[in-house]
Amino acid sequence: MRFADLLSQEEVLRIHEASIEILEVVGMLVRNEGARKIFAAHGCRVNSEHSLVRIPREVVEKYRRLFVPEFTFTGRDPDFDRTLPHDRPVIVTGSSAPNIIDRKSGVQRRATSSDIADIAFLINELRGFDIFSISTLADDAPKDQFSLSRFYPALKNCLKPVRSNTPHMKDLMDVLELGFIIAGGEEAYREHPLINHHYCPVVSPLTMDIESTEAVTYLTKEKLPVYGTIVPNAGITSPMTLVGSLALGNAEFLALGVMQQMIQPETPLIYAVLSTVADMRTGAYVPGAIETGIMQMAHSQMAHYYNVPSGGYIGLTNAHVNDAQSGYETGMNTTAALLAGTDLFNMGGLLGSLMTFDFAKAVIDDEIAMMLKRLIRGVEYSEVDLALDLIGEIGPGGNYMESTHTIEHMRSSSFFPDVATRDMRETWTAAGRKDAAARALHRAQEILTKDNPAIFSLDTDEQIRSRFKGLVSGDAGWQD
Amino acid sequence: MRFADLLSQEEVLRIHEASIEILEVVGMLVRNEGARKIFAAHGCRVNSEHSLVRIPREVVEKYRRLFVPEFTFTGRDPDFDRTLPHDRPVIVTGSSAPNIIDRKSGVQRRATSSDIADIAFLINELRGFDIFSISTLADDAPKDQFSLSRFYPALKNCLKPVRSNTPHMKDLMDVLELGFIIAGGEEAYREHPLINHHYCPVVSPLTMDIESTEAVTYLTKEKLPVYGTIVPNAGITSPMTLVGSLALGNAEFLALGVMQQMIQPETPLIYAVLSTVADMRTGAYVPGAIETGIMQMAHSQMAHYYNVPSGGYIGLTNAHVNDAQSGYETGMNTTAALLAGTDLFNMGGLLGSLMTFDFAKAVIDDEIAMMLKRLIRGVEYSEVDLALDLIGEIGPGGNYMESTHTIEHMRSSSFFPDVATRDMRETWTAAGRKDAAARALHRAQEILTKDNPAIFSLDTDEQIRSRFKGLVSGDAGWQD
């Protein structure tokens, strides 16, 4: 497939040039002292009093040439490892929602660690999803186990690569230790890490924070998988014009990417964004807007220019229920991103932008993910598939339904959905007039009332629980 | 924008070659005698006994080189005229559903002429829609007024171009006469026709019917606007492989297009498809499937090769309610088509594939149409929009919310939706937890309880009603 491009090649070069100018003239406010030292040691002009880092053109150009074109996510089961861009589209759940729609009452409440266990199990079983980015927070987390209460139920119930963040270094160290135990030791873990780290160290406009930046610098140095997402919000934290916001976000990506190369040359990274345009009628945050898709397309084109994998939080919705809005917002922006060559999609399971997880939404998004995976295959061409002999044989006015060719190709030509109804209205009415959300929730229940194949061995679990006293149970509980 | 391409240039040429081979070797079953005569008079080999027409390569090549790149839809008010591809995406309602979801009871029933009047009024007011293809049939049509009972309420309530079909020549002549009266005479009508004709004369595989083919040949000869849609359904009426179905459908498009050029050189046409892949688990007809979008993309690429406008029934859904499925099926396939350079979208207002019209769906599709119209604009580039001075002025850690630049660009940068909620969950809950369908139906009601600016003058209406005795009232009736 040749991807759609929104920008001319000249415009791409101009955005790059503008980003260079921003980094060189305006600079970045770098609140993390260690990061400032890294920039200073690699040719940048650092004003310590104002924590301002200006990155000269030649420094950006030198280090961005070290970017590598691939990024691999690794999981408990190496069969689920995924490499960008080769395995695109790689589909990731949306992450870190504070709330969940209770599956029994349908009412929103705070999410807990056992919700995370359920969600991890579900994502393990839904083949549209490749990576489990831990979907919610855990309101029941014991003191000092904020992150363990998320990573433990996630890793315990999912063989696919798990991705998430941590609020500070202490939590990061705990989570890594959890990983070492699961992997059977630090060496084995470093050989094949099963946690994939993700942060938002850049706070637009042009600022790097303290804690997330600390985590990124540490993990980069340790050669553990980590990448950052850039989140400019046009009209509030970046210019209202799309091209202005694009240049700013692109400069921010370069600052972070270049810093990682200074720490460790050829560190894999992802050009990942959640680049939005605010609804200035109210100042509302609107990741479901079509402008989010447009910005993702443009950022993907810049990623192609730098020859790095492209990804982002794309496919979020502002809807609070699984209505038509939830469907078209997720569907349109992911389709636009796919056709612009986005490799990685953070898209599954959230309603109300990033505020709440919903089981039915996750199952619906799995189906959208499968449609994207069908779409990327496009029209597969071969002389055999062209079937000119068959067209002659069936002739004008004939029927292809019973030909061997039809039976041989019916499964490879089409994606067969589980959630979408294809019944006639009469049949659908007789079956109870269920909408997509009701059918999706039923499918979640079918999956989550089976045995979970991902659960830890007793031995591993005992080691973990004896190391981290008072840990949440980490067990899926749909049967309750 | 550079559009996405699914096929390599080599594959495009091979599809064209394969189509030539199909027309030359396999041929078309042409049931209409007049059409057979046209083919025979222009170098084709016609077997009258079997109604088989074989079109030699050089004949296809000669006449397809007469294809012109534009097609104009004309309406009662010339301000609403739309020309492909210049005005793309041109958004058309879905058409000819037998049923409607009753707006009061929510129950499906047969549609009537007064439903058509209501729908025409609604489409006149929704700015996402460019063309009103008459959405339903009229169950209350008097004997011998099947088509008048559709066109009269449509034209009476809508200033935008009206598009539809007729079942046979008698109805076509009545409808044209209706048009002449509205235009103030035949001459004025021919100068600026206000009906745009559409047929499906090709019945896959490789067959041309009697009645629709008759209408197309007549209208082409009369230089009145007409085009056809090709509707192969892979696995049933065309090969199960996408590339095989593409070659067959492309051959069918060429047969029809070439015939029109034989009748009238440089007749404007549209390469329009409703090219589907059947769900062979049940044989179900599934225009909502992602394969419909893939086929539309591929056909658009072929249309670009022939340098003709590209269109189709794209954005239909198999859903029976305005649920997530209805949203993602319409949203994904229209987005895919847009990014592959489709110019014309038959997409609005239908549920259950082509079976039933729904007011809420029409309003939701209007919003999707507006999102597509925003998407095609992409990232508008200018040095002013790049706003480098502003980025320097606001600096790291600043805020763009109150800058003049933000206020100046907020309306041009973003599309502001009416249907999509952007409220926080608490606000949305307090406002009654309305889903997109409820909000959309409310918007339809707001529009349809105002005065209709499109209604005919009394004089015109009297002329029409005295010419066609017993005509339906043609009045919108939401107030009832």
Side-chain angles (χ1 to χ4, degrees), chain A residues 2 5 14 108 205 236 240-241 279 291 320 323 325 381 383 385 397 400 413 415 422-423 436 439, chain B residues 2 5 14 205 236 240-241 279 291 320 323 325 381 383 385 397 400 413 415 422-423 425 436 439:
Chain A
R2 188 185 80 166
D5 282 339
R14 181 69 188 106
Q108 178 176 288
I236 297 182
M240 189 74 236
T241 46
D279 185 330
E291 290 82 14
H320 299 294
D323 61 359
Q325 179 186 350
Y381 180 87
E383 283 295 316
D385 284 354
Y400 290 80
S413 286
F415 161 62
R422 294 176 158 188
D423 290 335
R439 296 190 299 268
Chain B
R2 190 184 79 166
D5 281 339
R14 182 68 188 108
I236 297 182
M240 188 75 238
T241 46
D279 186 330
E291 290 81 15
H320 299 293
D323 62 357
Q325 179 187 350
Y381 180 87
E383 282 295 315
D385 285 354
Y400 290 80
S413 287
F415 160 63
R422 293 177 158 186
D423 289 335
R425 192 175 186 91
R439 295 190 299 268

Side-chain angles (χ1 to χ4, degrees), chain B residues 318-355:
Chain B
N318 282 81
H320 299 293
V321 283
N322 289 294
D323 62 357
Q325 179 187 350
S326 78
Y328 69 70
E329 287 188 339
T330 298
M332 292 178 79
N333 281 337
T334 52
T335 301
L338 185 92
L339 295 177
T342 299
D343 304 308
L344 176 90
F345 294 68
N346 261 106
M347 61 172 276
L350 302 190
L351 291 172
S353 27
L354 292 147
M355 292 305 287

